Amino acid sequence: MKIRSLLLVLCLFLNHASYAQWVNIPLQTKASFRAIRSHKNQIWIGGTQGTVVYSLDKGMTWHEQQVPTAEKLDFRDLAVINKQRILLMSAGPADKGAAKLFLSKDQGQTWNLLFEKKSGPYFFDAIAWNYKKNEGVMLSDPMNGQFPLFKIKANGEQVEDILITSFPTLFAREAAFAASGSSLLWINRKLNIVTGGSTQARILQSQDETLTKFQSMSQSTPADSSSGFFSIGARNKSHYWVVGGNYLHLNENKIGILESRDAGLTWENLKDYPKFYMEKAIWTGKYWVVVGPSQSAAYEPKSKKWISLGETHFHNIILYNKQLIAVGSKGTLSKMSLAELDLLFLPKK
C-alpha cells in the first residue's frame, strides 16, 4: 500500500510538473516588457521606464540598463540590425514626447535619438526589419485617413516617409495596437497590417513591394475600441495566423483566430481556439504558440489539438535557439524548451 501510494503521488507530481514548465529568469527591474527580438547571439528586450534588458551570449547571462533621457518612455518594439546596431521604438502620443526612435551603434553602450515626432496624432506601433534589404519599416497610428509608414535605411541611420498613393477608407478610430510589435508583417515583398479599435477589425496588405498601395484582405470582424486583431504571425511565406481579443476582458475572446494559406489573399476562421485575449502568435516549427497577459497555449495542426501552457503574464514571445522566450509585466522573463513542449503533446498513458 505504501509503494502504491508513493507511486500515485509521484504520478500526480509529474502530471502537474509537465503542465507548463516555464522557467523564470530573475531580473532586478519590475518594468513591463512588450518588445523582444533576437539576431544571432543577441536577445534584446524593451519596456517601460526606458528599460532595456539584453543578452549577448544566447541567453546565458543578462544585463539591465535604463536609456538616458528615456525614463518616461515605453519601448514597445525594437530591431537588432547587426552585432553593433540596435533600434528602440517608444510608443506613445507625439504631443507628449513619446513618439521616438533611438539608435545604438555600439551594442547598447550609448544611445542617441534618431527620429521623433513632436506633434500630430503620431503613435508608433511596430517595426518590421528586412535583413535581406538591410532596411526596416515603422508603422504609426492613422493620420489623414491612412497609416503613416516610415522606411528606415542606411544601417538604421536614415528615416524617411513612405508616400502612400492608395489606401482603403478607414473606419472611425481604426488603428493598430502597439501590444507586441506584431501588428506588422513584412513578407513576400508585401506589408501586412492588422487593425482594431473600431467597429470592425481588418487585415490590410500592400499590393506590391513598393508599399505605396494597400487593400483590405479580409471580411471585417466585429470589434470595438478595446478589441480587434493584435498580432499576425507566419509559418512560412504563404501560411499566416492573425490573433487578438479584447484587452479589457483577458479571459474571453470573441475575435477568434484567422488563418490564411495563400499569403493573405483569403482568410478563414479557425473553428476551435482558446477563449482568452492573445497578444502574440508565433510558429515554432511544429506548433503554433499564442500568449497573452492571462494565459498561453500551443496548437498542433496535425492533431488539431490545443494544450494550455498555464496562467501567464506574457505580452510577447519569440522562438530562439530551440526555446520559447517570453516577456511580460513586472519584469517577467521566462523560457521553455521545445523539448518540454513536445512532452506536453505526448499521448497520456
Side-chain angles (χ1 to χ4, degrees):
M1 290 295 293
K2 288 184 178 180
I3 295 176
R4 186 174 298 176
S5 298
L6 287 172
L7 288 173
L8 178 60
V9 171
L10 180 61
C11 288
L12 288 173
F13 173 78
L14 289 174
N15 284 336
H16 177 73
S18 64
Y19 179 63
Q21 290 199 5
W22 290 104
V23 177
N24 182 59
I25 300 171
L27 298 173
Q28 292 185 354
T29 181
K30 296 302 178 184
S32 176
F33 300 126
R34 292 182 182 272
I36 179 169
R37 303 276 187 184
S38 66
H39 182 57
K40 296 185 178 180
N41 293 344
Q42 302 187 41
I43 307 168
W44 287 80
I45 298 167
T48 56
Q49 301 171 347
T51 304
V52 175
V53 175
Y54 63 96
S55 173
L56 304 178
D57 54 9
K58 300 182 179 181
M60 296 297 293
T61 58
W62 294 89
H63 310 274
E64 304 176 36
Q65 66 173 241
Q66 188 177 62
V67 176
T69 73
E71 295 84 359
K72 296 182 180 181
L73 299 181
D74 185 357
F75 294 128
R76 293 200 178 187
D77 205 1
L78 58 88
V80 188
I81 299 174
N82 54 41
K83 185 177 180 180
Q84 297 294 325
R85 294 175 178 250
I86 302 93
L87 285 168
L88 291 174
M89 182 204 80
S90 69
D95 58 6
K96 294 184 178 180
K100 295 183 177 182
L101 192 62
F102 288 80
L103 172 67
S104 174
K105 302 178 185 179
D106 53 11
Q107 214 168 58
Q109 297 302 305
T110 60
W111 296 92
N112 293 297
L113 180 62
L114 172 68
F115 179 77
E116 69 175 321
K117 289 293 185 179
K118 297 182 179 180
S119 62
Y122 291 103
F123 190 114
F124 299 155
D125 296 301
I127 298 174
W129 192 262
N130 187 317
Y131 285 98
K132 290 184 179 180
K133 289 178 171 289
N134 193 32
E135 59 186 35
V137 172
M138 183 170 65
L139 170 71
S140 172
D141 273 356
M143 183 175 181
N144 299 325
Q146 62 187 31
F147 283 90
L149 293 170
F150 304 93
K151 182 70 68 70
I152 306 171
K153 305 168 67 175
N155 272 330
E157 294 194 43
Q158 179 181 339
V159 182
E160 59 187 39
D161 293 340
I162 295 177
L163 301 179
I164 298 174
T165 59
S166 177
F167 207 89
T169 302
L170 294 177
F171 298 114
R173 300 181 305 280
E174 185 176 12
F177 288 108
S180 61
S182 58
S183 56
L184 188 65
L185 176 67
W186 195 2
I187 192 170
N188 270 346
R189 299 181 179 180
K190 295 182 178 181
L191 205 61
N192 300 269
I193 303 170
V194 296
T195 77
S198 184
T199 56
Q200 306 289 326
R202 294 189 293 177
I203 303 165
L204 311 176
Q205 187 181 81
S206 64
Q207 296 182 22
D208 55 39
E209 61 183 318
T210 66
L211 314 182
T212 59
K213 298 179 180 180
F214 285 78
Q215 57 188 333
S216 180
M217 305 304 295
S218 66
Q219 292 183 347
S220 298
T221 298
D224 60 25
S225 60
S226 57
S227 69
F229 299 138
F230 280 73
S231 175
I232 177 170
R235 176 174 177 172
N236 50 45
K237 289 185 177 182
S238 60
H239 193 171
Y240 311 156
W241 263 26
V242 167
V243 304
N246 189 323
Y247 65 78
L248 296 180
H249 301 280
L250 303 185
N251 290 305
E252 64 180 58
N253 193 321
K254 298 179 181 179
I255 296 297
I257 296 175
L258 267 63
E259 182 175 43
S260 174
R261 296 177 180 270
D262 55 10
L265 296 179
T266 61
W267 294 85
E268 293 183 357
N269 291 92
L270 204 67
K271 294 181 179 179
D272 180 34
Y273 62 92
K275 302 304 187 287
F276 64 86
Y277 159 58
M278 306 170 191
E279 286 193 5
K280 182 69 175 286
I282 63 168
W283 174 252
T284 70
K286 189 183 294 185
Y287 315 107
W288 285 100
V289 173
V290 293
V291 300
S294 68
Q295 302 178 49
S296 55
Y299 178 75
E300 184 182 47
K302 185 176 181 180
S303 64
K304 296 184 179 181
K305 181 180 180 181
W306 283 98
I307 291 288
S308 173
L309 300 182
E311 295 183 4
T312 60
H313 302 284
F314 300 147
H315 293 304
N316 206 339
I317 189 170
I318 61 170
L319 174 66
Y320 180 78
N321 199 27
K322 298 183 179 179
Q323 291 186 105
L324 299 173
I325 302 179
V327 295
S329 61
K330 298 180 180 179
T332 297
L333 173 59
S334 302
K335 64 180 180 179
M336 177 191 293
S337 71
L338 292 185
E340 290 171 347
L341 188 57
D342 285 335
L343 291 176
L344 298 177
F345 280 93
L346 288 177
K348 299 294 187 293
K349 295 183 179 179

